[in-house]
Amino acid sequence: MYKMRKQYLLPGILAAMLLCGCAGKDAAQPQEKEVQTEEGAASEKAEDSAAEAVVFEGQDLEGNTISQEVCAGSKLTMINVWATYCNPCLKEMPELGELVQEYDAADFQLIGIVSDVVEGQDEDALAYAVGLVEETGAAYPHLLLNESLYKGLLAEVSAVPTTFFLNEKGEVLDVVVGAMDKTHWKEKIDGLLENL
């Protein structure tokens, strides 16, 4: 009985923590998170402060394992955290799929994290997520929620979509909470690439 509870408790807690919010263009303006400096002033963005590389490992929708090492393949990696119930997330996914096609993979890549589908749990939820990815044309890797992703990247995510930008070393350069259209994402991506 204890083993069975443990099997469902962690995934349930992880999913519940990420189900608490859905932010979008209509709900709120996208916000960039600020980082505390040593003096405690919240004035510098992530790219201006000393960053530690994130560490994670997860399975994509096809069962392939992807880790933080994927960041080494591109100058800039965009990680978009979304949920199957989140309309702003689903609305921006077709344009995110288009963005991937417009950049050289050596410069930019995109990875999605499905925050409400836990790795190895519900086959129906997995099939639903796969269907949404196909329907939206979001033809880029999507990882399923697990403990490693939660601890390595998602512990402070309070709303979806939340998007992280990482450099080749896996260091977080910027975080955006909320959905944006393709034009605004392109401006963000180009600005970050110019500084790398």
Side-chain angles (χ1 to χ4, degrees), residues 13-58:
I13 290 170
L14 294 176
M17 293 179 85
L18 290 171
L19 291 176
C20 66
C22 184
K25 196 170 188 179
D26 300 327
Q29 289 288 20
Q31 300 173 348
E32 294 180 21
K33 290 196 175 185
E34 295 181 334
V35 193
Q36 294 290 328
T37 62
E38 289 180 13
E39 293 80 29
S43 61
E44 294 183 15
K45 291 183 185 174
E47 68 257 25
D48 296 330
S49 66
E52 278 189 36
V54 296
V55 177
F56 66 86
E57 182 174 283

mmCIF file of all heavy atoms in Angstrom, residues 13-58:
data_model
loop_
_atom_site.group_PDB
_atom_site.id
_atom_site.type_symbol
_atom_site.label_atom_id
_atom_site.label_comp_id
_atom_site.label_asym_id
_atom_site.label_seq_id
_atom_site.Cartn_x
_atom_site.Cartn_y
_atom_site.Cartn_z
ATOM 1 N N ILE A 13 1.764 15.589 -6.629
ATOM 2 C CA ILE A 13 2.248 16.848 -6.050
ATOM 3 C C ILE A 13 2.861 17.726 -7.134
ATOM 4 O O ILE A 13 2.590 18.920 -7.206
ATOM 5 C CB ILE A 13 3.264 16.580 -4.917
ATOM 6 C CG1 ILE A 13 2.547 15.971 -3.706
ATOM 7 C CG2 ILE A 13 3.990 17.850 -4.524
ATOM 8 C CD1 ILE A 13 3.476 15.446 -2.645
ATOM 9 N N LEU A 14 3.692 17.126 -7.998
ATOM 10 C CA LEU A 14 4.328 17.893 -9.072
ATOM 11 C C LEU A 14 3.283 18.504 -9.995
ATOM 12 O O LEU A 14 3.343 19.686 -10.328
ATOM 13 C CB LEU A 14 5.272 17.003 -9.880
ATOM 14 C CG LEU A 14 6.501 16.472 -9.167
ATOM 15 C CD1 LEU A 14 7.278 15.532 -10.087
ATOM 16 C CD2 LEU A 14 7.393 17.589 -8.690
ATOM 17 N N ALA A 15 2.309 17.709 -10.399
ATOM 18 C CA ALA A 15 1.277 18.210 -11.300
ATOM 19 C C ALA A 15 0.439 19.288 -10.632
ATOM 20 O O ALA A 15 0.133 20.316 -11.235
ATOM 21 C CB ALA A 15 0.390 17.065 -11.775
ATOM 22 N N ALA A 16 0.082 19.108 -9.372
ATOM 23 C CA ALA A 16 -0.732 20.101 -8.662
ATOM 24 C C ALA A 16 -0.009 21.434 -8.547
ATOM 25 O O ALA A 16 -0.618 22.502 -8.697
ATOM 26 C CB ALA A 16 -1.101 19.589 -7.276
ATOM 27 N N MET A 17 1.290 21.395 -8.316
ATOM 28 C CA MET A 17 2.043 22.635 -8.175
ATOM 29 C C MET A 17 2.078 23.419 -9.484
ATOM 30 O O MET A 17 2.075 24.634 -9.485
ATOM 31 C CB MET A 17 3.459 22.345 -7.681
ATOM 32 C CG MET A 17 3.455 21.808 -6.261
ATOM 33 S SD MET A 17 5.097 21.432 -5.695
ATOM 34 C CE MET A 17 5.563 23.046 -5.114
ATOM 35 N N LEU A 18 2.092 22.705 -10.599
ATOM 36 C CA LEU A 18 2.155 23.380 -11.885
ATOM 37 C C LEU A 18 0.784 23.690 -12.463
ATOM 38 O O LEU A 18 0.672 24.419 -13.428
ATOM 39 C CB LEU A 18 2.973 22.558 -12.869
ATOM 40 C CG LEU A 18 4.456 22.536 -12.544
ATOM 41 C CD1 LEU A 18 5.178 21.535 -13.422
ATOM 42 C CD2 LEU A 18 5.076 23.907 -12.704
ATOM 43 N N LEU A 19 -0.273 23.152 -11.865
ATOM 44 C CA LEU A 19 -1.620 23.413 -12.354
ATOM 45 C C LEU A 19 -2.207 24.688 -11.779
ATOM 46 O O LEU A 19 -3.309 25.078 -12.120
ATOM 47 C CB LEU A 19 -2.543 22.236 -12.012
ATOM 48 C CG LEU A 19 -2.272 20.950 -12.760
ATOM 49 C CD1 LEU A 19 -3.184 19.853 -12.252
ATOM 50 C CD2 LEU A 19 -2.451 21.128 -14.245
ATOM 51 N N CYS A 20 -1.473 25.365 -10.926
ATOM 52 C CA CYS A 20 -2.035 26.490 -10.189
ATOM 53 C C CYS A 20 -2.221 27.750 -11.016
ATOM 54 O O CYS A 20 -2.886 28.664 -10.576
ATOM 55 C CB CYS A 20 -1.198 26.784 -8.950
ATOM 56 S SG CYS A 20 0.447 27.369 -9.333
ATOM 57 N N GLY A 21 -1.663 27.838 -12.194
ATOM 58 C CA GLY A 21 -1.847 29.078 -12.936
ATOM 59 C C GLY A 21 -1.700 28.897 -14.419
ATOM 60 O O GLY A 21 -1.053 27.990 -14.890
ATOM 61 N N CYS A 22 -2.333 29.783 -15.147
ATOM 62 C CA CYS A 22 -2.233 29.819 -16.589
ATOM 63 C C CYS A 22 -2.161 31.281 -16.961
ATOM 64 O O CYS A 22 -3.128 32.008 -16.794
ATOM 65 C CB CYS A 22 -3.439 29.148 -17.230
ATOM 66 S SG CYS A 22 -3.350 29.054 -19.025
ATOM 67 N N ALA A 23 -1.014 31.738 -17.411
ATOM 68 C CA ALA A 23 -0.828 33.152 -17.742
ATOM 69 C C ALA A 23 -0.744 33.305 -19.240
ATOM 70 O O ALA A 23 -0.143 32.500 -19.927
ATOM 71 C CB ALA A 23 0.454 33.677 -17.097
ATOM 72 N N GLY A 24 -1.332 34.341 -19.737
ATOM 73 C CA GLY A 24 -1.287 34.579 -21.172
ATOM 74 C C GLY A 24 -1.388 36.047 -21.472
ATOM 75 O O GLY A 24 -1.501 36.877 -20.581
ATOM 76 N N LYS A 25 -1.365 36.368 -22.739
ATOM 77 C CA LYS A 25 -1.426 37.753 -23.159
ATOM 78 C C LYS A 25 -2.691 38.421 -22.640
ATOM 79 O O LYS A 25 -2.692 39.573 -22.267
ATOM 80 C CB LYS A 25 -1.366 37.804 -24.684
ATOM 81 C CG LYS A 25 -1.037 39.150 -25.236
ATOM 82 C CD LYS A 25 -0.755 39.047 -26.708
ATOM 83 C CE LYS A 25 -0.240 40.365 -27.220
ATOM 84 N NZ LYS A 25 0.068 40.327 -28.621
ATOM 85 N N ASP A 26 -3.785 37.669 -22.617
ATOM 86 C CA ASP A 26 -5.041 38.231 -22.140
ATOM 87 C C ASP A 26 -5.068 38.331 -20.620
ATOM 88 O O ASP A 26 -5.684 39.219 -20.061
ATOM 89 C CB ASP A 26 -6.216 37.372 -22.610
ATOM 90 C CG ASP A 26 -6.286 37.301 -24.132
ATOM 91 O OD1 ASP A 26 -5.916 38.284 -24.801
ATOM 92 O OD2 ASP A 26 -6.707 36.256 -24.633
ATOM 93 N N ALA A 27 -4.408 37.418 -19.949
ATOM 94 C CA ALA A 27 -4.425 37.387 -18.482
ATOM 95 C C ALA A 27 -3.504 38.437 -17.887
ATOM 96 O O ALA A 27 -3.815 39.072 -16.906
ATOM 97 C CB ALA A 27 -4.011 36.002 -17.983
ATOM 98 N N ALA A 28 -2.345 38.601 -18.467
ATOM 99 C CA ALA A 28 -1.366 39.554 -17.942
ATOM 100 C C ALA A 28 -0.285 39.770 -18.980
ATOM 101 O O ALA A 28 -0.070 38.938 -19.843
ATOM 102 C CB ALA A 28 -0.736 39.005 -16.661
ATOM 103 N N GLN A 29 0.404 40.889 -18.878
ATOM 104 C CA GLN A 29 1.515 41.141 -19.775
ATOM 105 C C GLN A 29 2.647 40.179 -19.428
ATOM 106 O O GLN A 29 2.886 39.897 -18.265
ATOM 107 C CB GLN A 29 2.012 42.585 -19.611
ATOM 108 C CG GLN A 29 1.052 43.602 -20.148
ATOM 109 C CD GLN A 29 0.999 43.600 -21.671
ATOM 110 O OE1 GLN A 29 1.382 42.650 -22.339
ATOM 111 N NE2 GLN A 29 0.507 44.676 -22.224
ATOM 112 N N PRO A 30 3.345 39.637 -20.435
ATOM 113 C CA PRO A 30 4.478 38.778 -20.125
ATOM 114 C C PRO A 30 5.471 39.535 -19.250
ATOM 115 O O PRO A 30 5.711 40.715 -19.453
ATOM 116 C CB PRO A 30 5.083 38.469 -21.496
ATOM 117 C CG PRO A 30 3.945 38.648 -22.443
ATOM 118 C CD PRO A 30 3.103 39.751 -21.860
ATOM 119 N N GLN A 31 5.995 38.839 -18.277
ATOM 120 C CA GLN A 31 6.919 39.463 -17.341
ATOM 121 C C GLN A 31 8.256 38.755 -17.415
ATOM 122 O O GLN A 31 8.314 37.543 -17.532
ATOM 123 C CB GLN A 31 6.394 39.355 -15.910
ATOM 124 C CG GLN A 31 5.065 40.022 -15.719
ATOM 125 C CD GLN A 31 4.503 39.743 -14.340
ATOM 126 O OE1 GLN A 31 4.989 38.889 -13.611
ATOM 127 N NE2 GLN A 31 3.478 40.478 -13.992
ATOM 128 N N GLU A 32 9.313 39.553 -17.310
ATOM 129 C CA GLU A 32 10.641 38.974 -17.210
ATOM 130 C C GLU A 32 10.975 38.903 -15.736
ATOM 131 O O GLU A 32 10.796 39.870 -15.003
ATOM 132 C CB GLU A 32 11.658 39.842 -17.947
ATOM 133 C CG GLU A 32 11.412 39.870 -19.441
ATOM 134 C CD GLU A 32 12.406 40.724 -20.169
ATOM 135 O OE1 GLU A 32 13.491 40.982 -19.633
ATOM 136 O OE2 GLU A 32 12.088 41.128 -21.292
ATOM 137 N N LYS A 33 11.426 37.734 -15.305
ATOM 138 C CA LYS A 33 11.802 37.597 -13.904
ATOM 139 C C LYS A 33 13.133 38.270 -13.664
ATOM 140 O O LYS A 33 14.010 38.247 -14.512
ATOM 141 C CB LYS A 33 11.880 36.120 -13.510
ATOM 142 C CG LYS A 33 10.531 35.476 -13.458
ATOM 143 C CD LYS A 33 10.595 34.190 -12.711
ATOM 144 C CE LYS A 33 9.203 33.627 -12.572
ATOM 145 N NZ LYS A 33 9.165 32.448 -11.764
ATOM 146 N N GLU A 34 13.263 38.857 -12.501
ATOM 147 C CA GLU A 34 14.524 39.494 -12.137
ATOM 148 C C GLU A 34 15.269 38.611 -11.151
ATOM 149 O O GLU A 34 14.682 37.782 -10.473
ATOM 150 C CB GLU A 34 14.246 40.860 -11.513
ATOM 151 C CG GLU A 34 13.617 41.819 -12.519
ATOM 152 C CD GLU A 34 13.350 43.174 -11.941
ATOM 153 O OE1 GLU A 34 13.172 43.277 -10.708
ATOM 154 O OE2 GLU A 34 13.323 44.133 -12.713
ATOM 155 N N VAL A 35 16.562 38.818 -11.081
ATOM 156 C CA VAL A 35 17.410 38.013 -10.218
ATOM 157 C C VAL A 35 17.973 38.904 -9.120
ATOM 158 O O VAL A 35 18.354 40.039 -9.359
ATOM 159 C CB VAL A 35 18.583 37.410 -11.021
ATOM 160 C CG1 VAL A 35 19.267 36.340 -10.209
ATOM 161 C CG2 VAL A 35 18.109 36.849 -12.341
ATOM 162 N N GLN A 36 18.046 38.378 -7.922
ATOM 163 C CA GLN A 36 18.611 39.131 -6.800
ATOM 164 C C GLN A 36 20.127 39.183 -6.932
ATOM 165 O O GLN A 36 20.772 38.176 -7.171
ATOM 166 C CB GLN A 36 18.257 38.450 -5.459
ATOM 167 C CG GLN A 36 16.781 38.470 -5.142
ATOM 168 C CD GLN A 36 16.282 39.847 -4.798
ATOM 169 O OE1 GLN A 36 17.010 40.647 -4.235
ATOM 170 N NE2 GLN A 36 15.059 40.141 -5.150
ATOM 171 N N THR A 37 20.704 40.369 -6.773
ATOM 172 C CA THR A 37 22.155 40.488 -6.748
ATOM 173 C C THR A 37 22.628 40.196 -5.334
ATOM 174 O O THR A 37 21.827 40.037 -4.412
ATOM 175 C CB THR A 37 22.597 41.914 -7.142
ATOM 176 O OG1 THR A 37 22.071 42.828 -6.187
ATOM 177 C CG2 THR A 37 22.113 42.274 -8.533
ATOM 178 N N GLU A 38 23.951 40.163 -5.138
ATOM 179 C CA GLU A 38 24.478 39.881 -3.800
ATOM 180 C C GLU A 38 24.028 40.922 -2.791
ATOM 181 O O GLU A 38 23.851 40.630 -1.627
ATOM 182 C CB GLU A 38 26.004 39.798 -3.848
ATOM 183 C CG GLU A 38 26.478 38.541 -4.551
ATOM 184 C CD GLU A 38 27.979 38.453 -4.593
ATOM 185 O OE1 GLU A 38 28.668 39.218 -3.891
ATOM 186 O OE2 GLU A 38 28.473 37.587 -5.319
ATOM 187 N N GLU A 39 23.826 42.154 -3.237
ATOM 188 C CA GLU A 39 23.376 43.212 -2.330
ATOM 189 C C GLU A 39 21.875 43.122 -2.068
ATOM 190 O O GLU A 39 21.335 43.860 -1.263
ATOM 191 C CB GLU A 39 23.703 44.601 -2.910
ATOM 192 C CG GLU A 39 25.187 44.896 -2.998
ATOM 193 C CD GLU A 39 25.836 44.246 -4.216
ATOM 194 O OE1 GLU A 39 25.170 44.049 -5.242
ATOM 195 O OE2 GLU A 39 27.021 43.900 -4.111
ATOM 196 N N GLY A 40 21.178 42.239 -2.777
ATOM 197 C CA GLY A 40 19.753 42.053 -2.552
ATOM 198 C C GLY A 40 18.870 42.921 -3.432
ATOM 199 O O GLY A 40 17.666 42.898 -3.293
ATOM 200 N N ALA A 41 19.430 43.672 -4.366
ATOM 201 C CA ALA A 41 18.611 44.521 -5.236
ATOM 202 C C ALA A 41 18.122 43.702 -6.420
ATOM 203 O O ALA A 41 18.899 43.011 -7.061
ATOM 204 C CB ALA A 41 19.431 45.712 -5.725
ATOM 205 N N ALA A 42 16.837 43.785 -6.706
ATOM 206 C CA ALA A 42 16.264 43.035 -7.825
ATOM 207 C C ALA A 42 16.302 43.892 -9.069
ATOM 208 O O ALA A 42 15.286 44.346 -9.563
ATOM 209 C CB ALA A 42 14.844 42.618 -7.503
ATOM 210 N N SER A 43 17.499 44.141 -9.586
ATOM 211 C CA SER A 43 17.613 45.055 -10.708
ATOM 212 C C SER A 43 18.263 44.447 -11.934
ATOM 213 O O SER A 43 18.194 45.025 -13.000
ATOM 214 C CB SER A 43 18.399 46.292 -10.289
ATOM 215 O OG SER A 43 19.693 45.917 -9.884
ATOM 216 N N GLU A 44 18.915 43.315 -11.812
ATOM 217 C CA GLU A 44 19.600 42.735 -12.954
ATOM 218 C C GLU A 44 18.827 41.545 -13.474
ATOM 219 O O GLU A 44 18.315 40.758 -12.713
ATOM 220 C CB GLU A 44 21.006 42.273 -12.548
ATOM 221 C CG GLU A 44 21.911 43.419 -12.164
ATOM 222 C CD GLU A 44 23.300 42.930 -11.850
ATOM 223 O OE1 GLU A 44 23.633 41.786 -12.192
ATOM 224 O OE2 GLU A 44 24.065 43.693 -11.258
ATOM 225 N N LYS A 45 18.767 41.412 -14.786
ATOM 226 C CA LYS A 45 18.145 40.247 -15.397
ATOM 227 C C LYS A 45 19.111 39.075 -15.295
ATOM 228 O O LYS A 45 20.288 39.233 -15.024
ATOM 229 C CB LYS A 45 17.817 40.532 -16.859
ATOM 230 C CG LYS A 45 16.713 41.543 -17.012
ATOM 231 C CD LYS A 45 16.408 41.711 -18.470
ATOM 232 C CE LYS A 45 15.393 42.818 -18.638
ATOM 233 N NZ LYS A 45 15.172 43.100 -20.033
ATOM 234 N N ALA A 46 18.603 37.895 -15.578
ATOM 235 C CA ALA A 46 19.401 36.681 -15.441
ATOM 236 C C ALA A 46 20.685 36.736 -16.256
ATOM 237 O O ALA A 46 21.709 36.229 -15.832
ATOM 238 C CB ALA A 46 18.572 35.468 -15.842
ATOM 239 N N GLU A 47 20.651 37.357 -17.445
ATOM 240 C CA GLU A 47 21.853 37.358 -18.259
ATOM 241 C C GLU A 47 22.961 38.216 -17.685
ATOM 242 O O GLU A 47 24.108 38.100 -18.080
ATOM 243 C CB GLU A 47 21.541 37.776 -19.709
ATOM 244 C CG GLU A 47 21.133 39.216 -19.879
ATOM 245 C CD GLU A 47 19.641 39.373 -20.078
ATOM 246 O OE1 GLU A 47 18.873 38.491 -19.643
ATOM 247 O OE2 GLU A 47 19.244 40.382 -20.656
ATOM 248 N N ASP A 48 22.638 39.111 -16.749
ATOM 249 C CA ASP A 48 23.634 39.992 -16.168
ATOM 250 C C ASP A 48 24.261 39.422 -14.894
ATOM 251 O O ASP A 48 25.179 39.997 -14.348
ATOM 252 C CB ASP A 48 23.006 41.351 -15.837
ATOM 253 C CG ASP A 48 22.546 42.066 -17.102
ATOM 254 O OD1 ASP A 48 23.165 41.839 -18.159
ATOM 255 O OD2 ASP A 48 21.573 42.830 -17.016
ATOM 256 N N SER A 49 23.749 38.347 -14.377
ATOM 257 C CA SER A 49 24.257 37.808 -13.122
ATOM 258 C C SER A 49 24.962 36.482 -13.367
ATOM 259 O O SER A 49 24.787 35.854 -14.395
ATOM 260 C CB SER A 49 23.106 37.617 -12.130
ATOM 261 O OG SER A 49 22.235 36.621 -12.598
ATOM 262 N N ALA A 50 25.788 36.096 -12.413
ATOM 263 C CA ALA A 50 26.466 34.814 -12.515
ATOM 264 C C ALA A 50 25.415 33.718 -12.433
ATOM 265 O O ALA A 50 24.632 33.671 -11.504
ATOM 266 C CB ALA A 50 27.481 34.669 -11.386
ATOM 267 N N ALA A 51 25.396 32.850 -13.419
ATOM 268 C CA ALA A 51 24.359 31.827 -13.490
ATOM 269 C C ALA A 51 24.977 30.448 -13.350
ATOM 270 O O ALA A 51 26.095 30.210 -13.773
ATOM 271 C CB ALA A 51 23.617 31.935 -14.811
ATOM 272 N N GLU A 52 24.205 29.556 -12.757
ATOM 273 C CA GLU A 52 24.593 28.161 -12.684
ATOM 274 C C GLU A 52 23.846 27.402 -13.762
ATOM 275 O O GLU A 52 22.695 27.708 -14.046
ATOM 276 C CB GLU A 52 24.210 27.569 -11.325
ATOM 277 C CG GLU A 52 25.190 27.865 -10.240
ATOM 278 C CD GLU A 52 24.871 27.080 -8.977
ATOM 279 O OE1 GLU A 52 24.414 25.927 -9.077
ATOM 280 O OE2 GLU A 52 25.072 27.635 -7.915
ATOM 281 N N ALA A 53 24.491 26.431 -14.346
ATOM 282 C CA ALA A 53 23.833 25.617 -15.360
ATOM 283 C C ALA A 53 22.755 24.762 -14.708
ATOM 284 O O ALA A 53 22.941 24.245 -13.611
ATOM 285 C CB ALA A 53 24.860 24.728 -16.055
ATOM 286 N N VAL A 54 21.627 24.652 -15.380
ATOM 287 C CA VAL A 54 20.559 23.797 -14.884
ATOM 288 C C VAL A 54 20.890 22.350 -15.220
ATOM 289 O O VAL A 54 21.608 22.071 -16.185
ATOM 290 C CB VAL A 54 19.180 24.183 -15.468
ATOM 291 C CG1 VAL A 54 18.770 25.568 -15.028
ATOM 292 C CG2 VAL A 54 19.173 24.066 -16.973
ATOM 293 N N VAL A 55 20.405 21.453 -14.408
ATOM 294 C CA VAL A 55 20.629 20.030 -14.622
ATOM 295 C C VAL A 55 19.270 19.353 -14.655
ATOM 296 O O VAL A 55 18.470 19.514 -13.733
ATOM 297 C CB VAL A 55 21.491 19.425 -13.485
ATOM 298 C CG1 VAL A 55 21.661 17.929 -13.688
ATOM 299 C CG2 VAL A 55 22.846 20.122 -13.420
ATOM 300 N N PHE A 56 18.989 18.630 -15.745
ATOM 301 C CA PHE A 56 17.716 17.923 -15.854
ATOM 302 C C PHE A 56 17.857 16.760 -16.816
ATOM 303 O O PHE A 56 18.791 16.703 -17.614
ATOM 304 C CB PHE A 56 16.594 18.863 -16.318
ATOM 305 C CG PHE A 56 16.773 19.384 -17.720
ATOM 306 C CD1 PHE A 56 16.332 18.667 -18.831
ATOM 307 C CD2 PHE A 56 17.380 20.614 -17.943
ATOM 308 C CE1 PHE A 56 16.505 19.155 -20.118
ATOM 309 C CE2 PHE A 56 17.550 21.113 -19.231
ATOM 310 C CZ PHE A 56 17.109 20.378 -20.320
ATOM 311 N N GLU A 57 16.909 15.863 -16.728
ATOM 312 C CA GLU A 57 16.821 14.749 -17.668
ATOM 313 C C GLU A 57 15.359 14.347 -17.727
ATOM 314 O O GLU A 57 14.691 14.262 -16.702
ATOM 315 C CB GLU A 57 17.682 13.569 -17.215
ATOM 316 C CG GLU A 57 17.643 12.406 -18.196
ATOM 317 C CD GLU A 57 18.611 11.298 -17.810
ATOM 318 O OE1 GLU A 57 19.814 11.468 -18.053
ATOM 319 O OE2 GLU A 57 18.133 10.296 -17.261
ATOM 320 N N GLY A 58 14.859 14.128 -18.921
ATOM 321 C CA GLY A 58 13.468 13.740 -19.068
ATOM 322 C C GLY A 58 13.239 13.001 -20.366
ATOM 323 O O GLY A 58 14.117 12.925 -21.217
#
